[in-house]
Amino acid sequence: MLKYGEKVGIGLSGGKDSASLLYVLNEITKGHGTELYAITIDEGIRGYREEAVKNAERLARELTIPILVSSYKDFFGFTLDEALDFRNIHQKSKVTSCAICGPLRRRSLDRSAEKLGLHVLATAHNLDDVLQTFYINLHSGDLERIKWLDPAYHPSSNSSFKLRRIKPFMEIYEQELAFFAYLKGLPFQSESCPYMNEGIRTEIRENLNSLESRHPGIKYSSLKTVLGIASGLEIQEKKKKSLMRCEKCGSVSTGTICSVCETLEIVANANR
Ligand code: SF4
């Protein structure tokens, strides 16, 4: 996943998965000319994010890895709490919190990576995350997003900034990462995001956990099937989402308006 001398950013949320990823990458890249940077994005979630950011800063300091902390407020002018307050007051059909938060986080990480001049962005998505994402896309009929789960698939980008994304923990169970983080005494936040139960992901997580408890190993064999499907999937050229420039912000997008500008529009409309 990594080549000699690359500059690698790690999305460090302050939770157990990303804390473990920072620790492991720091251990295995020693002596390989790799420069590591931690990137922490503060979404602005009262009573939740403050502790996670402190843990992230503490871990980066202990491992002597430089850390860049940025926030939605810096990038977009509002916190996630403010965006959701606007939505709650003004929107009749509610867009879920994660649907608003996800695109903003991806854009924040991209901008931070660009600022640091990184070659690679490593995120701590684990086996459970990958399976949940598969089922979310299966239920919404989004074949191309299933294709994106194939680690060897790199959709062509017309951006001048080329960033490779890797998920080193995609074959590791979430529970094992929690165990690892406890064993190593890493500082991490154990509390969950207060908005996490709005989307379908929580229901899928519970179903998969219940299957795993009755049939140990089923998640791992499902992952092999998912990766097999993703790698064998051929998206017809005419059905591929072609990449273009967003008409509003100029970022690479699969539509005329990118998901971040659509999200900003939702928040702005709710705020009117
Ligand atoms: Fe954002 Fe959803 Fe994650 Fe909370 S659970 S931080 S709202 S993506």
Side-chain angles (χ1 to χ4, degrees):
M1 289 187 186
L2 297 173
K3 296 179 196 135
Y4 187 89
E6 285 186 319
K7 285 175 88 170
V8 180
I10 294 112
L12 181 64
S13 67
K16 63 190 183 320
D17 301 344
S18 59
S20 302
L21 182 61
L22 191 73
Y23 180 91
V24 169
L25 286 186
N26 185 49
E27 285 294 307
I28 66 174
T29 59
K30 275 178 190 158
H32 291 281
T34 312
E35 283 179 52
L36 295 184
Y37 296 85
I39 303 176
T40 297
I41 308 296
D42 180 354
E43 297 92 347
I45 304 174
R46 268 183 308 268
Y48 166 70
R49 250 306 165 232
E50 301 86 348
E51 189 199 340
V53 172
K54 269 191 207 145
N55 283 330
E57 287 175 324
R58 191 179 133 202
L59 181 62
R61 200 169 48 244
E62 282 174 12
L63 299 176
T64 62
I65 293 171
I67 180 167
L68 175 65
V69 181
S70 310
S71 66
Y72 286 1
K73 191 85 174 175
D74 300 335
F75 288 127
F76 311 110
F78 52 78
T79 65
L80 184 65
D81 282 338
E82 286 164 350
L84 297 179
D85 285 347
F86 301 149
R87 177 206 64 172
N88 289 344
I89 296 166
H90 298 279
Q91 288 234 308
K92 289 194 183 86
S93 70
K94 282 188 185 164
V95 183
T96 66
S97 312
C98 299
I100 291 180
C101 184
L104 301 181
R105 179 172 325 92
R106 278 193 293 280
R107 179 65 54 82
S108 304
L109 284 169
D110 280 350
R111 286 212 200 151
S112 304
E114 191 161 6
K115 192 169 169 187
L116 293 167
L118 302 179
H119 303 110
V120 182
L121 179 66
T123 52
H125 293 98
N126 56 47
L127 185 153
D128 295 63
D129 295 326
V130 174
L131 282 187
Q132 291 155 19
T133 303
F134 172 78
Y135 281 107
I136 290 170
N137 293 320
L138 181 78
H139 295 313
S140 65
D142 196 330
L143 278 183
E144 193 160 0
R145 282 184 187 270
I146 291 178
K147 180 73 197 158
W148 290 353
L149 295 173
D150 175 9
Y153 182 65
H154 302 292
S156 57
S157 150
N158 65 1
S159 164
S160 54
F161 177 60
K162 303 271 187 229
L163 181 70
R164 209 168 71 248
R165 291 170 178 277
I166 59 169
K167 296 175 193 159
F169 283 165
M170 71 182 295
E171 293 186 358
I172 314 284
Y173 277 62
E174 182 178 11
Q175 266 189 338
E176 289 180 5
L177 290 173
F179 190 46
F180 180 84
Y182 271 118
L183 276 182
K184 291 288 173 191
L186 305 179
F188 69 88
Q189 186 182 36
S190 48
E191 213 181 300
S192 303
C193 170
Y195 301 122
M196 71 176 280
N197 291 330
E198 280 184 19
I200 192 174
R201 188 175 283 273
T202 301
E203 290 163 62
I204 292 174
R205 176 189 292 117
E206 285 166 0
N207 285 337
L208 287 169
N209 285 346
S210 142
L211 277 173
E212 178 73 25
S213 68
R214 282 181 282 126
H215 310 280
I218 200 168
K219 284 187 195 169
Y220 193 73
S221 42
S222 300
L223 178 76
K224 284 199 275 181
T225 312
V226 167
L227 295 182
I229 291 172
S231 65
L233 203 57
E234 299 246 348
I235 308 291
Q236 287 173 0
E237 215 44 54
K238 61 179 182 193
K239 291 200 175 158
K240 268 188 192 164
K241 292 174 184 143
S242 51
L243 294 176
M244 56 187 85
R245 292 274 172 194
C246 169
E247 282 175 6
K248 291 199 166 178
C249 70
S251 298
V252 178
S253 164
T254 51
T256 48
I257 307 293
C258 73
S259 55
V260 171
C261 286
E262 276 175 2
T263 305
L264 296 178
E265 190 67 17
I266 291 167
V267 175
N269 282 339
N271 196 21
R272 266 178 209 133

